[in-house]
Every structure is written in C-alpha cells, then in structure tokens.
Amino acid sequence: MAQPLDLIVRNGVVVTAADTRRLDVGVRDGVVVALGTNLPEAPVLDASGCYVFPGFVDPHVHLQLRVGDIVSTDDFETGTVAAACGGVTTLADFTGNARGDDLAEGVRARWAEAEGRIAVDLALHLTLTDASETTLAALPALAAAGHTSAKLYMTYAGLRLDDGEMLRALAACHAQRILPLVHAENHDAVAYLTARLLAAGHSEPRYHPASRPPLVESEAAQRALALAAMVDAPVYLAHVTCRETLAAIAQARARGQQVVAETCPQYLALSSACFDAPGFEAAKYVCTPPLRPAGHGDALWTALAEDELQIVSTDHCPWNHEVEKQRGRDAFSQIPNGLPGVETRIPLLYGLGVAQARLSLQRFVAVAASEPARALGLFPRKGTIAVGSDADLAILDPRGTTTMQAAGLHQRVDYTPFEGWTVPGRLVATVSRGEVIVREGQFLGRRGRGRLLCRQPSPWA
Ligand code: DUC
Ligand code: ZN
C-alpha cells in the first residue's frame, strides 16, 4: 500500500509559470508527491476559491547588513518571518566579506549568523569585493559546495570593482558557472554629482535622485555588458530602474549575450515624485539606484510582461526613518540606502500586476518564483509545483484585499513606503517543505527551521 500523505492542499487552483489547473496537492516528507483530484485521505489545508502558487523566491535581500557602524534593521529571524508572511519560502542574501577577506570564511561567517534563526530557506550569494588571484582561486571549491552566484558591485567604496577587476571576476565566474549579479552604477559619476549638489547647498533628500540619474545606471550597465561580452560571460543585472538600462539590455541581447535582468516593486510602483514629500519624510524613499520619474515604471511593467525583465526581487534593506535614516539630516548622501519590502512584494505584484492585467498569472509566477529559482540554480526544486519539488506553497485569495501598514507588518522597521495602500488579493497561508508556517497572517513556524541551500549552477550561467 502507498504510504499516507502528510498534507493535502485541497480545492485550490494550482498556478505555475506553465499553466493553471484545478488540482489537489499531496505532500509527503516535505515534498510534493501527488497532483490530482482523488488523493487519499490526509490532513487537509482547504484552498477553496484560492490560488495555490509555488512558494515565492526573493533572490535579493540584505538582512542584518552591516554598513559602517549600523546594521539593517531586519535580522535573519525577523526578516525571514516577514518573508514567510509575505508568501516567500526562499530568500537569497549575500556574504559580508570585505576586500581581501577569505571567501570561504565569508560564507561560513554569514551562515553562522543565519543558522538557527531563519524561518525559511536561504541561499547566499558570494560577494566578490576584489578580484585577486587568491580570492578567485577560492571559487571552484565554493561552486562545488553549491554557492553558484556572486555579487559584483561597480559602486560603493570598499565593495566596488574597477573595470579590470570586473573582467577578471566575470571570466572567473564564467569558468565555474557562477552567475554574476551586477550592481551597475558609475561610481565616479555618483561621487562627482553628489559633491556638486552638496557644494551648491542641495543637501535635502529630494536631491538624491539627481546624484544618480538614469545615465549613471545605464552607462555602468552598458559597460558591464560590454566587459561580459569580452569574456563571453552571462550577466544578471540587479535592480534595473529605467528605460535607458532596458535599451542597454536589448542591445546586448541583440549581439547574442545572455542577460538576466531584475527589477523591484519600488521601481514599478513608486516614482521620484515621492521626493516631493515634505522635509525629511522623503528620506524614506532613498535607495540606490533611486526611484525614477513617472514613465519609467510603465516601461518596466511592459518589460516584465514581455520577458525583457525576468525577475522581481525586493533589495529589502530596511532602516528606521526615526533612527538610521536621520544620519542624513545634514546631507542626503549620508542617508543609509534601502527600502523595506520583503513582506509586501507579492501583495503588490499580484494587486498591481495580475489584478490590473499588467501581468498574466503565469508571468506573475515566473517573475516572482520560477525565474528567481532558475537564476539561483534551484529550479525545479524551488519555484514551481511539480511532483518531486519541495512542497513550498503560497495560497492567495483573489476575493480578499491587502492593506499595507507598517504597524501590521512583521518587517522590523518603522515605516513602509506603501503605508495605507490597499490592493486586491490576500495571502491566506504559506507552506514551507510541507509545513504550514503562516495562516491568516500569523507565523506558526519555528524560527531556525530554515535551511542553507546548496545549489546547482544556474542554466543561465
Ligand atoms: N541599494 C543597494 O545597493 N543595496 C542595498 C539597498 C539599496 O538601496
Ligand atoms: Zn542590494
């Protein structure tokens, strides 16, 4: 006799990037083992009237990120609980090594911070803060151990690589099938424009976008793509915000390059008009690259729908407005960069994307689950609902609504940029490896239950 199931998610509409079907999902030992309509008796999670999506994957977050003497406010515990409450069952964060540090030790140290605390599964991108022979020599063993992606910054003192280092890093990643995620902004241009604004007395938060205009991003993106072409390497472009970068991506693809491109809800849903907020309120919207004038967001929605952009991550990097953001009272350049969003990505993307007919259900699943899992080298274990996949599920009731308020969210930060917004759709449950970890907004799981994910190379690497 077949072994009993541990759980059946019954009467829902199962949505993957490929199709939409009315099916029950049978789970045993944390894995999907059956999809059908006549599954044997087992404990039931009723999904009548709801969509059953794959657990969502956020491939770009910064939990307890140290920047100088401050640390982003969500730690591995609060950030992963917030993620779970936002329908997310897999996160990818970054190692925190500085230039010259041992990369393997960087993984070990970051994992030591996360272990025993994470509520959902976690991948770690390597951070390549230099491209020395010693650092690059560590890549084969790390790739073999399942760390198959790396972050390359073109800006930020202490993190950034110059063009020669970019070339060496891109080539070394390519040789090991490590997918390089690139933060593309022209470092020297940011420094020049920032100094010029401050010298002119323009120190308020509303000058932040002018210090990093679209050309700062698109010039660096174009350069990263040109450098990658020289060593035949693929590129994952992080947080694309503007039409100019979309054009650079199209140009690279037209010459045959492999480019994976990501944007974030803040660039889809907000604009630089947020900087009209009075006084220091505007500091809430300081992230890099910055929010863009209205119009860019529409172009990003279209690019997502048409597969010019593949992924929506959050770049979740929360700082309290009343505490850390205050460091920039005298100069916008001192405001810590970053917005919270790990808990609000899926409600926003469903409510503004699917419900407003900007994204099909399939495309929604693709950009928020399947393609991020593919980039991480985790598909089809994560990012879809199929026999053999981890039983990671997010159940959403399209008849409900979600109102976003900082006070009601699990993110540990004193604001949300989406305060008071109400969107169609309501997450009703999150299942991680067969365990119902969220029900009606209540986290029911155990902190520490999350696992560090060892990954295959991405098919895009
Ligand atoms: N920009 C980054 O590059 N990292 C974290 C937050 C942000 O806004
Ligand atoms: Zn980031």
Side-chain angles (χ1 to χ4, degrees), residues 336-413:
N337 297 324
L339 304 188
V342 77
E343 195 171 354
T344 50
R345 176 182 66 138
I346 296 307
L348 285 167
L349 208 51
Y350 179 85
L352 304 180
V354 178
Q356 294 194 16
R358 289 175 168 124
L359 296 179
S360 68
L361 278 170
Q362 267 62 54
R363 198 66 198 138
F364 167 61
V365 171
V367 302
S370 310
E371 302 292 60
R374 216 183 296 279
L376 291 169
L378 287 169
F379 189 88
R381 175 176 164 199
K382 305 287 192 189
T384 193
I385 302 173
V387 171
S389 297
D390 281 0
D392 292 352
L393 307 168
I395 301 174
L396 181 140
D397 187 342
R399 300 159 298 187
T401 60
T402 303
T403 298
M404 283 159 272
Q405 285 170 318
L409 293 167
H410 300 75
Q411 303 172 152
R412 190 167 65 185
V413 57

Side-chain angles (χ1 to χ4, degrees), residues 60 62 65 153 156 183 239 286-289 315 317 337-339:
H60 185 163
H62 301 278
L65 171 72
Y153 288 92
Y156 296 138
H183 178 129
H239 39 52
V286 169
C287 58
T288 56
D315 202 4
C317 189
N337 297 324
L339 304 188

Side-chain angles (χ1 to χ4, degrees), residues 9-57:
V9 179
R10 184 158 274 166
N11 298 326
V13 174
V14 172
V15 186
T16 67
D19 51 26
T20 302
R21 290 173 294 167
R22 191 168 291 279
L23 286 175
D24 296 340
V25 183
V27 176
R28 188 185 309 121
D29 297 332
V31 173
V32 175
V33 293
L35 290 166
T37 46
N38 286 312
L39 305 186
E41 285 304 305
V44 166
L45 179 61
D46 184 38
S48 300
C50 295
Y51 291 124
V52 180
F53 294 115
F56 291 101
V57 179

